Amino acid sequence: MKEITPLFFNRELSWIEFNARVLHEAFRKDLPLIERLRFIAIVSSNFDEFFQVRVAAIKRLYRVAPHHKDSSGLTPEELLKQISIRCHQIIKLQHSCLSNDVLPELAKKGLEYVPPVSYTEQQKSFLEKLFKKDILPVLTSIRTDTIFPNTENMRLYAAFLLENIPGIHYNTRVFDAPLDSQILGLVPIPSNIQRVIWLPSASNTKAFTVLDDLIMTFGTQMFPGYSTKETLIFKVARDADFSVNEEGDNLTKEMQEVLVKRRSSFAVRLLCNAASPVITKILIEKLQLTNDDVYEFPGLIDPSTLLNGIENTKEAEPLTYPNWSNYNPISLPDDKPYWDTLRQHDVLLHVPYESYEPVIKFLNDAANDDNVLAIKMTLYRTGSHSPVVKALEKAAKKGKQVTVFVELKARFDEGRNISWAEELERAGAIVIYGIVGLKVHAKMLLIIRRESDGLRRYVHLSTGNYNPKTAKTYSDISIFTSNSEIATDTTLFFNAISGYSQFLTLKHLYMAPINLKGKILSMIDREIHCSTPDQPGLIIAKMNSLGHEGVIKALYAASQAGVQVLLNVRGICMLVPGVKGMSENIKVVSIVDRYLEHSRIFYFKNGGAEELYLSSADWMPRNLERRVEMMFPVADKNLFKVVKDTLDIYFKDNSHSYLLQSDGTWKASKPDKKESIERAQEVLHKKYKKQADLYEKQPKTEFIVRRK
């Protein structure tokens, strides 16, 4: 057999294409308008993080190793150029979708954005009074003619190009600008003022403008004695890819220093509203950027705050997705703790189709139960006002042994996690700040309870974070169990990451960076050896990202051996499918819909002795080699069928799925005229709704137990 050189798509370019798929949803006329605006906003927030982290890392690599080539064959300079070209294309499409499609359609539905050029006299008068009374006192103007000020990372600014007014005498006091020079004034736009401003309107529409427009229109009042030549709204993305000094005596202090550095690190991107070529040129020079680093988004450059300002109005309500209720798992009791149920069988929780409340109840029941002796838990991203943290605090205050592994290095959640960690410590919990050199990304909860026959351990294992807010929009799967073998492995896991315990080999759980990667590679290899022409092997995997070259090479080998490989990858995919002699037996699909697909599910046919796993880990180098992750089996036969059926549903979607081509493009699915529309997320919603409806219709019988 002729040896085929493995091929890999570039990680960053693949991630950009994920955002192209997200934007494709925004162009869909069949989606509600507010949801289309939401997809536009997601692209913006995704790009904000992408430039701060990934592009910043490439720029640093370019400085130290300009000739380095990645696995796709690109040097840093070549990659930066391709990133710039593709991101400019997507941002141009994004602006077109917002300005030429979504905003005009919103106006027809009663939510009208009014730009400054369209203000009526009544609106101008209203806005000027509002500006003078409620906004101008809060604003601060910053001069730039001496030392150019630091522009804070990801903060919006208004820039004013000023000029001296002829005939006015200018003295030489220090606060005057020099004569005959380009005078640039900057005004930071406050983040604590509502960005959407509602306007008086004579029509039936609810008209609004934005704070940026207001400051650009009336902000000249901050510079008396000067006239304004040009204005610009902009924000700068800076390097946020900092590593923390984990050898320091105080990790919390070290993380706080990282947060400070992030505010003023080197500039990576300039996003502006294209109103002033002169100001843009000045900013490029002062920020040491190139033209490729400038991204113009005429008009509203921050769709996220626009969405936040209008989505909760009564006019927006009919323009959102129809409500999909979530349901409690029918196998869990509503009115009593879960201990008796979990002693009998495992329970699966699939959010957001099912409610996240069972996780909160599980913790609160443990906190209130006098027989619960200890709670151990990992926290990566918990969200604000977390009921999870409140339950842990309550348990600690009641004298239970509460141990929490708070990952301070969870990027962009560092500040919140520091706050939670300090709050838990004050409540009496034992807080462990992760592991030196590794991020604890596993999602695990262990409860130890005293029962009549001794101590019993209850475990919750999940593919997603302990975050009730994201559990409403992220699709994740978790398992509640009292399986003694799983509980023993979970206990060993917590002991291994909390102290000096020598790590013991787990029998049923697989942990990165210890043996998770090896297990995945061995199962792929096993599938190759089990595969025959009559009974080909089968691997089905669902994940967020696929970028581990060793795993990809193993999948290529499986394809060449006749194994059928079905991959559902939401975001990054470096694997190249459909290449003859290398990957023709591999199919890669991606689903972009109302919920963010976040669960990781791995199925192996294994010659008929099927195995199915859930995991916190994607098949990426960072997950398999630089994080503490966990993969756990679906051992219960009933739950095995539920998860396997769920996995199959994802590959039947023909309305919100995309098929990866061998040239790196993604082809949006379209049902044939004879086909019925299959939408995976809708199928799952209807499935859980039907279960709940049938359960409600069943007669409830309460048995009276006679006790001595």
Side-chain angles (χ1 to χ4, degrees), residues 430-444:
I430 299 169
V431 177
I432 297 173
Y433 298 100
I435 298 174
V436 175
L438 299 170
K439 286 185 179 181
V440 178
H441 194 248
K443 292 80 167 80
M444 307 178 72

Side-chain angles (χ1 to χ4, degrees), residues 60 127 234 247 257 265 392 430 478 580:
R60 278 189 275 106
L127 290 173
F234 72 93
E247 303 299 329
E257 289 182 4
S265 54
L392 292 170
I430 299 169
S478 62
K580 188 174 182 180

Side-chain angles (χ1 to χ4, degrees), residues 156-162 183-189 215-216 223 228 230-234 275-276 279-280 283:
L156 280 173
Y157 287 82
F160 297 83
L161 187 65
L162 309 171
I183 308 167
L184 182 64
L186 300 184
V187 178
I189 297 180
I215 293 175
M216 287 183 69
F223 307 98
T228 301
E230 297 180 9
T231 57
L232 185 78
I233 297 292
F234 72 93
S276 171
I279 297 177
T280 301
L283 292 174

Side-chain angles (χ1 to χ4, degrees), residues 38-105:
R38 194 182 314 280
F39 282 118
I40 291 172
I42 290 171
V43 173
S44 289
S45 59
N46 282 352
F47 273 144
D48 284 348
E49 182 173 338
F50 175 67
F51 278 91
Q52 291 177 81
V53 179
R54 299 305 306 174
V55 175
I58 300 166
K59 283 180 174 276
R60 278 189 275 106
L61 179 63
Y62 174 60
R63 293 174 183 175
V64 299
H67 303 296
H68 169 81
K69 288 191 176 183
D70 63 22
S71 57
S72 68
L74 295 174
T75 65
E77 183 178 18
E78 291 168 338
L79 179 54
L80 288 170
K81 188 66 178 178
Q82 290 200 30
I83 288 172
S84 177
I85 291 171
R86 186 60 175 135
C87 287
H88 276 94
Q89 291 173 346
I90 292 175
I91 289 176
K92 184 177 180 180
L93 288 170
Q94 184 191 16
H95 171 257
S96 175
C97 183
L98 177 64
S99 299
N100 302 328
D101 187 354
V102 172
L103 287 178
E105 290 300 314

Side-chain angles (χ1 to χ4, degrees), residues 219-446:
T220 55
Q221 297 177 22
M222 301 187 68
F223 307 98
Y226 299 93
S227 63
T228 301
K229 294 174 64 179
E230 297 180 9
T231 57
L232 185 78
I233 297 292
F234 72 93
K235 68 177 177 179
V236 179
R238 295 183 176 274
D239 174 25
D241 190 30
F242 287 101
S243 58
V244 64
N245 175 22
E246 299 189 53
E247 303 299 329
D249 295 332
N250 189 325
L251 183 59
T252 300
K253 182 179 178 182
E254 298 292 343
M255 282 306 312
Q256 289 170 336
E257 289 182 4
V258 166
L259 298 180
V260 172
K261 290 178 183 177
R262 187 177 290 166
R263 295 166 62 184
S264 58
S265 54
F266 73 84
V268 179
R269 177 195 65 169
L270 173 66
L271 181 68
C272 59
N273 65 349
S276 171
V278 176
I279 297 177
T280 301
K281 185 178 179 181
I282 295 172
L283 292 174
I284 290 173
E285 177 186 346
K286 297 296 184 181
L287 296 170
Q288 297 181 321
L289 295 172
T290 69
N291 289 330
D292 285 347
D293 300 320
V294 179
Y295 293 82
E296 296 180 347
F297 199 99
L300 302 166
I301 73 170
D302 194 354
S304 297
T305 52
L306 173 62
L307 173 67
N308 294 337
I310 69 173
E311 66 177 337
N312 294 320
T313 62
K314 65 177 182 179
E315 289 81 7
E317 187 175 345
L319 307 178
T320 60
Y321 283 129
N323 180 53
W324 283 1
S325 298
N326 51 32
Y327 310 93
N328 280 337
I330 58 176
S331 55
L332 285 176
D334 294 329
D335 56 349
K336 58 185 177 180
Y338 302 151
W339 319 125
D340 291 344
T341 300
L342 297 182
R343 281 196 294 268
Q344 299 173 45
H345 57 79
D346 295 352
V347 174
L348 186 82
L349 182 68
H350 192 177
V351 296
Y353 309 102
E354 294 180 296
S355 170
Y356 195 73
E357 281 304 308
V359 177
I360 308 302
K361 184 180 186 305
F362 192 48
L363 272 168
N364 278 315
D365 286 344
N368 293 322
D369 192 326
D370 292 338
N371 290 318
V372 168
L373 304 178
I375 301 172
K376 299 184 180 185
M377 190 176 191
T378 61
L379 290 181
Y380 190 72
R381 299 188 193 277
T382 59
S384 57
H385 310 294
S386 172
V388 170
V389 175
K390 296 301 180 186
L392 292 170
E393 288 178 357
K394 179 167 57 176
K397 289 176 180 177
K398 289 195 171 190
K400 303 182 191 305
Q401 183 89 346
V402 176
T403 306
V404 188
F405 299 79
V406 179
E407 184 48 78
L408 296 188
K409 302 187 291 292
R411 185 178 284 120
F412 301 119
D413 273 342
E414 300 98 337
R416 180 181 293 140
N417 285 5
I418 288 171
S419 176
W420 285 138
E422 292 173 343
E423 192 170 319
L424 285 164
E425 283 186 324
R426 286 194 295 270
I430 299 169
V431 177
I432 297 173
Y433 298 100
I435 298 174
V436 175
L438 299 170
K439 286 185 179 181
V440 178
H441 194 248
K443 292 80 167 80
M444 307 178 72
L445 166 61
L446 173 66

Side-chain angles (χ1 to χ4, degrees), residues 401-637:
Q401 183 89 346
V402 176
T403 306
V404 188
F405 299 79
V406 179
E407 184 48 78
L408 296 188
K409 302 187 291 292
R411 185 178 284 120
F412 301 119
D413 273 342
E414 300 98 337
R416 180 181 293 140
N417 285 5
I418 288 171
S419 176
W420 285 138
E422 292 173 343
E423 192 170 319
L424 285 164
E425 283 186 324
R426 286 194 295 270
I430 299 169
V431 177
I432 297 173
Y433 298 100
I435 298 174
V436 175
L438 299 170
K439 286 185 179 181
V440 178
H441 194 248
K443 292 80 167 80
M444 307 178 72
L445 166 61
L446 173 66
I447 296 172
I448 299 96
R449 187 172 186 265
R450 183 196 300 112
E451 300 186 354
S452 59
D453 55 350
L455 294 183
R456 185 179 291 270
R457 293 164 294 185
Y458 296 87
V459 178
H460 179 259
L461 304 170
S462 179
T463 67
N465 297 309
Y466 288 106
N467 188 329
K469 183 177 180 181
T470 57
K472 295 177 181 179
T473 54
Y474 286 27
S475 174
D476 274 301
I477 301 177
S478 62
I479 289 178
F480 297 88
T481 183
S482 67
N483 180 296
S484 61
E485 294 174 327
I486 297 295
T488 296
D489 276 3
T490 303
T491 302
L492 290 172
F493 165 81
F494 278 115
N495 288 342
I497 67 172
S498 65
Y500 295 105
S501 168
Q502 178 66 40
F503 184 80
L504 301 176
T505 301
L506 306 181
K507 295 181 179 179
H508 302 279
L509 305 181
Y510 298 91
M511 174 181 171
I514 307 298
N515 60 355
L516 176 50
K517 180 178 71 173
K519 177 63 176 177
I520 291 169
L521 292 172
S522 69
M523 289 191 292
I524 295 173
D525 185 63
R526 184 186 64 189
E527 208 64 30
I528 292 173
H529 288 90
C530 290
S531 183
T532 66
D534 294 333
Q535 295 291 328
L538 176 62
I539 299 170
I540 310 176
K542 178 181 180 295
M543 65 198 79
N544 297 331
S545 300
L546 172 58
H548 193 287
E549 294 176 18
V551 174
I552 293 173
K553 288 178 181 177
L555 293 173
Y556 287 156
S559 174
Q560 292 169 44
V563 177
Q564 300 299 306
V565 181
L566 300 177
L567 302 173
N568 190 302
V569 185
R570 186 194 80 214
I572 296 166
C573 182
M574 292 173 60
L575 180 147
V576 183
V579 177
K580 188 174 182 180
M582 186 182 77
S583 58
E584 67 265 42
N585 290 319
I586 303 178
K587 176 182 178 180
V588 183
V589 300
S590 177
I591 289 178
V592 182
D593 203 344
R594 67 183 289 174
Y595 296 145
L596 182 84
E597 290 298 335
H598 195 253
S599 58
R600 292 91 166 184
I601 312 172
F602 311 137
Y603 167 87
F604 296 86
K605 185 178 178 182
N606 190 24
E610 302 170 298
E611 291 184 2
L612 188 63
Y613 296 87
L614 301 173
S615 182
S616 62
D618 292 313
W619 289 354
M620 298 286 285
R622 66 182 184 186
N623 300 96
L624 302 182
E625 297 167 4
R626 301 191 297 274
R627 288 183 175 181
V628 175
E629 303 271 14
M630 191 59 66
M631 181 174 76
F632 50 98
V634 182
D636 184 288
K637 291 182 179 179

